Amino acid sequence: MSTVADVIVVGGGVSGLTTALLLAERGLRVRVWSRDPAAATTSAVAGALWWPYRIEPEALVGDWSLETLRVYEELAAAPAETGVRMVAGVHGGERLAALGPWARRLEGAAEVAEGLRVTLPLIDMPAHLSWLEGRLSAAGGVVERRTVRGFAEAAAEARVVVNCTGLGARDLVPDPGVRPVRGQLVVVENPGIEEWFTEADPASSATTYLFPQPGGLVLGGTAETDDARTGPDPRTAAEIVARCARIRPEIAGARVIGHRVGLRPARDAGVRIGAEELPGGGLLVHNYGHGGAGVTVARGCARAAAQLVD
């Protein structure tokens, strides 16, 4: 039997759950409709280091990211519960002058020979998504497994619908500017590495990063635009391990635990946060197109979307 709702959030990844939580904490009756359980969403596959990577528009991303950073810094006080830890590492080849104004507000960031050294939130996404669902439930929100074929379905049951469908927005809106950017990861037994490392070449689909997570050392990665393959490619996996082993040689002998593939929901025009009327007088609020930084901007974008609901 369906629960009465003021708002239905379509999409159960980090953006949808964070938006739903903010709305529920404001006293609204919120239901989340998600085709997949949180553990099977793209968000669950993410690395997931806080950093505004492959996301536009630049003019807005900085503030969204910093707002989210402050929240993660608070959540890191209880890492076992929230999945958020503050971990030191190096962005290879980066310099503050090449980044946006937001980077100058990073506490403790220092330029070293290898790049930019800084302590940032590193999120264990399965744990964090579970924490978000628990907080949402405690605030009175409900998560339901449901495949949505059109926003009219949700509008028939709530006055406000929030679109956090990620890649699904391509067909549901429809928005042809939404495109998959394939990311492949390899998880290995951690040989004792405690700090993260990243190095990205904007001109290449290959990136190099290693993130020490509770379930193993996550190695990456790729950023293959318009590639919707969801299965791991063995050759790509071998190349990822080889690149990471050039940074930390001990990785070469680490036992492979598993492989992950996720499709980042990029949008040609950047993140879309806006509202439009639905037939019958309802309101449709959009919050999608976060590319490779949905985790990084989750709270900032959720607040912007929640303001439109208000």
Side-chain angles (χ1 to χ4, degrees):
M1 184 173 182
S2 295
T3 303
V4 175
D6 299 308
V7 183
I8 291 178
V9 177
V10 184
V14 67
S15 295
L17 290 175
T18 304
T19 304
L21 176 58
L22 279 184
L23 293 170
E25 289 180 338
R26 294 183 182 190
L28 295 173
R29 295 169 297 180
V30 181
R31 291 159 61 191
V32 176
W33 287 2
S34 179
R35 180 190 62 189
D36 303 311
T41 62
T42 296
S43 297
V45 181
L49 179 73
W50 179 96
W51 193 254
Y53 170 70
R54 297 181 73 94
I55 183 171
E56 297 286 346
E58 185 177 346
L60 298 174
V61 165
D63 286 342
W64 291 336
S65 300
L66 289 170
E67 180 176 346
T68 307
L69 172 62
R70 304 312 172 210
V71 172
Y72 288 152
E73 288 173 336
E74 294 177 3
L75 296 181
E81 179 183 354
T82 67
V84 182
R85 295 172 294 133
M86 299 300 294
V87 181
V90 172
H91 280 298
E94 285 286 12
R95 288 291 182 262
L96 286 170
L99 301 170
W102 58 269
R104 292 190 285 275
R105 294 166 62 185
L106 294 177
E107 296 180 6
E111 294 182 353
V112 296
E114 299 85 358
L116 183 67
R117 182 173 179 79
V118 61
T119 297
L120 297 174
L122 183 61
I123 300 113
D124 177 12
M125 287 307 297
H128 186 59
L129 292 169
S130 178
W131 176 82
L132 284 171
E133 286 193 317
R135 283 288 303 274
L136 176 60
S137 178
V142 178
V143 178
E144 304 171 3
R145 299 280 83 78
R146 181 159 175 170
T147 298
V148 178
R149 294 173 177 80
F151 295 119
E153 295 178 32
E157 300 190 33
R159 186 187 64 82
V160 180
V161 180
V162 183
N163 168 26
C164 295
T165 56
L167 204 57
R170 180 180 180 90
D171 296 322
L172 280 172
V173 173
D175 186 341
V178 176
R179 305 160 68 186
V181 178
R182 182 178 182 273
Q184 180 167 332
L185 312 175
V186 180
V187 185
V188 301
E189 288 185 344
N190 193 334
I193 294 172
E194 297 181 352
E195 297 194 349
W196 54 265
F197 176 87
T198 76
E199 191 168 48
D201 179 359
S204 171
S205 63
T207 58
T208 302
Y209 53 82
L210 45 105
F211 301 144
Q213 292 283 19
L217 186 65
V218 177
L219 310 179
T222 65
E224 301 161 294
T225 303
D226 292 327
D227 188 338
R229 293 176 298 147
T230 56
D233 180 273
R235 180 175 177 177
T236 299
E239 292 171 349
I240 288 171
V241 173
R243 288 199 304 274
C244 292
R246 285 195 286 270
I247 304 300
R248 295 294 297 260
E250 60 267 46
I251 289 173
R255 185 175 72 88
V256 173
I257 299 174
H259 301 271
R260 301 178 188 170
V261 175
L263 302 180
R264 303 178 182 95
R267 182 171 182 261
D268 292 342
V271 175
R272 183 182 183 186
I273 296 181
E276 61 181 286
E277 288 188 8
L278 287 166
L283 184 70
L284 175 62
V285 174
H286 296 290
N287 179 13
Y288 69 93
H290 306 102
V295 175
T296 298
V297 299
R299 183 62 176 243
C301 287
R303 181 190 52 77
Q307 287 177 336
L308 294 177
V309 172
D310 293 339

